Amino acid sequence: MSLWTSLEPASATVDPGGSTRVRLRLRNTGDVVDEYRFEPVGDIAPWTIVEPQTLRLYPGTTGTVELMFAPPRSPDATAGPNAYAVRITPTEHPEAVTVPEGNLTITPFTEVRAELVPPTVKGRFRGRPKLAVDNLGNTRLTASVSGSDNGDQLSYDLHPSNVQIEPGRAAFVKATLKPRQIIWFGSKEERPYKFAVQRSGVAPLDVEGTYVQRGFLPRWLATFLGVFMALAITFVMLWIAYKPQVSSEAKERLDEAGVSTLAPSPSATPPPPPTPTAPASTPPPAAQSPAAGGGGGGGAGDGSEEEKAPEKTAATAVQALAADDPGGRHICYRAFVTGKGWTDAVCDGQTAGTENGGKPIKALNVAVSGAKRTGSAAFVHFPGSTDGKGHYNGKPWSFAPDGIDNYFGSTKADAPNMLGFTINVDDGRGSVCQTTHVRNEGWHGMGCDKPGEGEGFIFGGTLSNDLWLEAVKFTV
């Protein structure tokens, strides 16, 4: 070995978002002039800068380079000791590589963000918002969640009420809000409430929302019933007051004439209406397709206008599968890709989107069969982000039953790129699996929502504003 190296110091500490320097000394112990190239390797290599990157030494001389470590203030900078190394390659003898190693300790930091999805819920007897808690720090987050409001007007059922979240991950808390008093008549009332995300030794993080409680019956119906009852009572009172009285003198004269007051004969009473006789049943007329050229408005049959083929959506594809396999479970989908528009609909684990073109997905169209219904929400690029993360769009959740198209995201020209999504089937009581192809990261691992486990849905994609979806695969 013709090179001697030394790290000063061998162990260092740095805060995320800050920087620190380590000096690397080396001596040419060979007998020829040599030039050395320096390359940081290891998990923290992206945050390591070597100055200078090359160094030329005469035999027996010593040189120094500096290693500057600048980990970002993000979950990627894992707290704790992190090994690092520098690969030193001599120009004269490239096979004689030297790799000195050191240790860099990254200090922990905590950053939590919470968001209600949706922030406003409506209902007569209950509301079901979800609380998304993001761990943006570099250590595991343990917190409890509780709900409160002014006047104790609502009760709260939270599942789970305690969460443990790894760095860079998110947890969803499902909440059920129930009003303590029902509004039987009247207009809706807004009941503000808040969820508190409590960590040990830290002030709680409050997230405010609104529950709009609707009346069981509208106010106009209560007014109508009140007026109707008043009119009915008035009518009865007038009837009692002005009811005609039968003269007793007339009865006495009938008695004198030997005629008794009997009930009228049946012939004086009008007969009830006859029961209608059902006509003989006839088979219904056969349905005609538009191509059959039946009577009615102008179509393609008269040759005046060319008939346009319908758009082939995810629902079109899944309906065809359901017709061939009535008892099976299928999912079909397509992607709206920037610069290309909607891709062809594919099904059951095939790829929708582009893998190598670098074109982001703006929206997705999904349809299922044999899974009752599907629900989904789009997580999109957020230009106003202060932490490099996206967010859920204004009205994220959309639902569609079997055989019907479900759309999430947006196809507008200025619509944000999709970074990720949440999806479930049968309101979380069915199983759905997904994998995504993300910019600069390739295909992620397959993830599944298992009935009775987890949060009742599966998240796919990423939270980062710089990483967008390029392709997806789904199975049920």
Side-chain angles (χ1 to χ4, degrees), residues 204-261:
L205 173 63
D206 293 335
V207 183
E208 297 182 350
T210 302
Y211 172 62
V212 179
Q213 184 180 357
R214 294 169 174 167
F216 185 74
L217 295 175
R219 185 180 296 276
W220 67 264
L221 182 58
T223 304
F224 172 78
L225 291 177
V227 172
F228 178 79
M229 290 297 297
L231 291 175
I233 293 173
T234 302
F235 176 78
V236 171
M237 297 299 295
L238 291 174
W239 174 262
I240 294 175
Y242 296 101
K243 181 180 178 180
Q245 302 293 327
V246 178
S247 174
S248 59
E249 181 180 356
K251 184 176 183 302
E252 291 173 355
R253 291 189 177 184
L254 287 174
D255 291 339
E256 292 176 358
V259 181
S260 62
T261 56

Side-chain angles (χ1 to χ4, degrees), residues 118-396:
T120 300
V121 292
K122 302 177 181 180
R124 291 181 175 85
F125 305 109
R126 62 181 57 84
R128 291 190 173 94
K130 289 183 174 67
L131 178 66
V133 183
D134 297 305
N135 182 5
L136 306 179
N138 64 352
T139 59
R140 176 183 293 181
L141 170 68
T142 300
S144 61
V145 181
S146 60
S148 63
D149 61 273
N150 293 329
D152 195 26
Q153 298 174 333
L154 303 173
S155 64
Y156 304 86
D157 182 14
L158 304 176
H159 180 75
S161 59
N162 295 280
V163 294
Q164 283 192 343
I165 312 173
E166 296 297 327
R169 306 290 292 181
F172 289 85
V173 178
K174 294 186 290 186
T176 300
L177 312 177
K178 294 182 180 180
R180 299 190 184 277
Q181 292 183 348
I182 298 175
I183 302 175
W184 293 105
F185 294 96
S187 59
K188 60 187 179 183
E189 294 186 10
E190 294 188 354
R191 306 197 184 280
Y193 68 93
K194 66 180 178 181
F195 288 136
V197 181
Q198 179 68 63
R199 294 169 290 152
S200 177
V202 181
L205 173 63
D206 293 335
V207 183
E208 297 182 350
T210 302
Y211 172 62
V212 179
Q213 184 180 357
R214 294 169 174 167
F216 185 74
L217 295 175
R219 185 180 296 276
W220 67 264
L221 182 58
T223 304
F224 172 78
L225 291 177
V227 172
F228 178 79
M229 290 297 297
L231 291 175
I233 293 173
T234 302
F235 176 78
V236 171
M237 297 299 295
L238 291 174
W239 174 262
I240 294 175
Y242 296 101
K243 181 180 178 180
Q245 302 293 327
V246 178
S247 174
S248 59
E249 181 180 356
K251 184 176 183 302
E252 291 173 355
R253 291 189 177 184
L254 287 174
D255 291 339
E256 292 176 358
V259 181
S260 62
T261 56
L262 300 175
S265 65
S267 62
T269 304
T275 303
T277 303
S281 61
T282 59
Q288 290 183 340
S289 65
D302 58 3
S304 62
E305 180 181 355
E306 181 181 358
E307 183 176 1
K308 183 179 179 181
E311 181 184 11
K312 294 182 179 179
T313 67
T316 308
V318 86
Q319 289 168 9
L321 288 179
D324 294 336
D325 183 17
R329 285 164 51 90
H330 300 283
I331 182 169
C332 295
Y333 43 93
R334 57 180 183 153
F336 190 88
V337 179
T338 301
K340 296 183 64 176
W342 285 111
T343 63
D344 293 336
V346 296
C347 304
D348 299 336
Q350 295 177 300
T351 300
T354 58
E355 297 184 50
N356 301 314
K359 296 182 179 297
I361 290 176
K362 298 283 189 177
L364 290 172
N365 168 211
V366 178
V368 296
S369 67
K372 295 187 178 180
R373 77 166 183 166
T374 180
S376 53
F379 192 84
V380 300
H381 179 85
F382 181 32
S385 174
T386 59
D387 55 11
K389 307 297 180 182
H391 72 159
Y392 285 98
N393 52 10
K395 186 180 180 184

Side-chain angles (χ1 to χ4, degrees), residues 6-12 22-23 69 82 84 101-104:
S6 174
L7 287 169
E8 299 176 355
S11 296
V22 172
R23 180 176 297 176
F69 302 100
N82 294 266
Y84 70 88
E101 297 180 354
N103 183 73
L104 178 68

